[in-house]
């Protein structure tokens, strides 16, 4: 179950945060997303020396906390996508798929000539596409 | 040698040089954004877009007639059909259909199924009166004026998804 997705700009400014639970702990989720940014920076600045990374965009599991797992994805413009999920058995390929579709939706939202880069994403189409992607994430992993 | 008959919009579109659709869409979006920044008034921007379209249309109609070889249209209905089927297909690569004829046959609607100008675009709440594709109505107005059909084209946008 995906709990929260977030898009964070290259100056670590939030561009889009959406939580998908009914529980009212949005603040906790924001905090988790914020902490995960540090892990992202650490991964970016100290790349693991275990061979060449083919896909530098997908950062993988950032860190597991209590009952959440946090995944990260970095675009070439230093925009970060953060995914918080409560699933215990998430396949790597599913998360990669999710981020690929999320990236496509993000690119379409940013191509809107009325979107100001660096400001929050206010596109309703983007929000709808993201909820569709989130809904189909759970189904495909069975 | 027998004169060539009128060519279909598809055939002409396939034979001319084309440009990347995203480049075209983003360029048009940048133009509209810049106009909004410069003029600030939505009505002014609409007028400018119409004027730009008019300037394009008066030049475009010669190329249209040269490439497509359509014969003279007998009435306005045929004119509208030619614009929708051949003209839009040839220049934008998308089909259009003509609907909503009024009783006298002087007023109709041309509906574009899939408008490449508005890919990715969502109008913000501050620009609700903006006729984003007004350049197209200017093009039609300019083109018709050059072939002596005085007309008034106006835009009525039917967005299926956004605003």
């Amino acid at each position: 179950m995906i709990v929260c997705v977030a898009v964070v700009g290259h100056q670590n400014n939030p561009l889009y945060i959406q939580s998908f639970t009914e529980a009212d702990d949005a603040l906790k989720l924001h905090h988790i997303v914020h902490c995960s940014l540090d892990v992202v920076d650490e991964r970016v600045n100290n790349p693991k020396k275990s061979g060449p990374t083919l896909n530098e965009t997908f950062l993988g599991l950032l860190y597991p906390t209590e009952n959440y797992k946090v995944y990260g994805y970095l675009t070439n413009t230093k925009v970060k996508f953060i995914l918080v999920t409560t699933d215990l058995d998430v396949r790597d390929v599913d998360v990669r798929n999710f981020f690929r579709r999320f990236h496509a939706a993000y690119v379409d939202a940013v191509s809107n000539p009325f979107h100001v880069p660096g400001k929050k994403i206010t596109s309703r189409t983007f929000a709808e596409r993201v909820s569709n992607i989130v809904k189909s994430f759970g189904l495909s992993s069975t | 040698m027998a004169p060539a008959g009128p060519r279909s919009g598809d055939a002409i579109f396939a034979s001319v040089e084309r440009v990347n659709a995203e480049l075209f869409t983003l360029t048009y979006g940048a133009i509209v954004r810049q106009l909004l920044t410069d003029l600030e008034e939505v009505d002014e921007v609409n007028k400018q877009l119409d004027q730009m379209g008019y300037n394009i249309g008066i030049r475009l109609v010669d190329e249209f007639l040269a490439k497509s070889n359509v014969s003279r249209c007998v009435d306005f209905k045929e004119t509208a059909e030619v614009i929708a089927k051949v003209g839009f297909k040839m220049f934008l690569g998308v089909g259009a259909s003509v609907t909503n004829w009024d009783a006298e046959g002087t007023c109709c609607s041309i509906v574009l199924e899939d408008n490449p100008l508005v890919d990715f675009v969502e109008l913000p709440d501050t620009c609700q009166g903006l006729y984003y594709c007004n350049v197209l109505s200017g093009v039609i107005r300019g083109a018709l004026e050059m072939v002596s059909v005085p007309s008034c084209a106006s835009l009525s946008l039917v967005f299926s998804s956004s605003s």
Side-chain angles (χ1 to χ4, degrees), chain B residues 16-31:
Chain B
V16 295
E17 285 178 16
R18 275 161 282 174
V19 74
N20 183 299
E22 280 184 17
L23 176 64
F24 178 63
T25 306
L26 291 175
T27 304
Y28 185 70
I31 291 176

Side-chain angles (χ1 to χ4, degrees), chain A residues 108 111-114 116 123-125, chain B residues 29 33 36 120-124 132:
Chain A
D108 286 345
S111 304
N112 179 10
F114 294 104
V116 180
S123 151
R124 271 167 299 203
T125 321
Chain B
R33 274 290 271 132
L36 276 170
F120 317 129
V121 174
E122 285 186 36
L123 286 184
Y132 190 81

Side-chain angles (χ1 to χ4, degrees), chain B residues 5-73:
Chain B
R7 302 168 62 192
S8 77
D10 286 314
I12 309 167
F13 186 66
S15 66
V16 295
E17 285 178 16
R18 275 161 282 174
V19 74
N20 183 299
E22 280 184 17
L23 176 64
F24 178 63
T25 306
L26 291 175
T27 304
Y28 185 70
I31 291 176
V32 175
R33 274 290 271 132
Q34 195 57 46
L35 281 174
L36 276 170
T37 312
D38 291 341
L39 300 171
E40 284 167 16
E41 282 283 310
V42 165
D43 291 325
E44 274 298 316
V45 176
N46 289 341
K47 266 199 281 191
Q48 277 296 326
L49 286 174
D50 185 73
Q51 188 58 33
M52 283 164 59
Y54 179 79
N55 291 333
I56 295 175
I58 59 180
R59 294 164 173 82
L60 202 65
V61 68
D62 280 318
E63 177 166 347
F64 172 72
L65 291 172
K67 289 241 166 77
S68 68
N69 230 345
V70 291
S71 51
R72 233 175 149 63
C73 295

Side-chain angles (χ1 to χ4, degrees), chain B residues 54-103:
Chain B
Y54 179 79
N55 291 333
I56 295 175
I58 59 180
R59 294 164 173 82
L60 202 65
V61 68
D62 280 318
E63 177 166 347
F64 172 72
L65 291 172
K67 289 241 166 77
S68 68
N69 230 345
V70 291
S71 51
R72 233 175 149 63
C73 295
V74 291
D75 63 355
F76 186 62
K77 286 209 167 158
E78 200 180 328
T79 311
E81 284 289 331
V82 164
I83 291 177
K85 294 280 176 306
V86 185
F88 274 108
K89 188 71 201 174
M90 184 172 149
F91 290 112
L92 284 183
V94 292
S97 50
V98 187
T99 55
N100 253 1
W101 280 106
D102 72 340

Side-chain angles (χ1 to χ4, degrees), chain A residues 91-109:
Chain A
R91 289 185 303 175
D92 197 48
V93 64
D94 285 337
V95 184
R96 280 179 196 268
N97 247 347
F98 173 89
F99 276 129
R100 198 171 35 85
R101 294 164 72 184
F102 192 80
H103 195 174
Y106 169 76
V107 162
D108 286 345

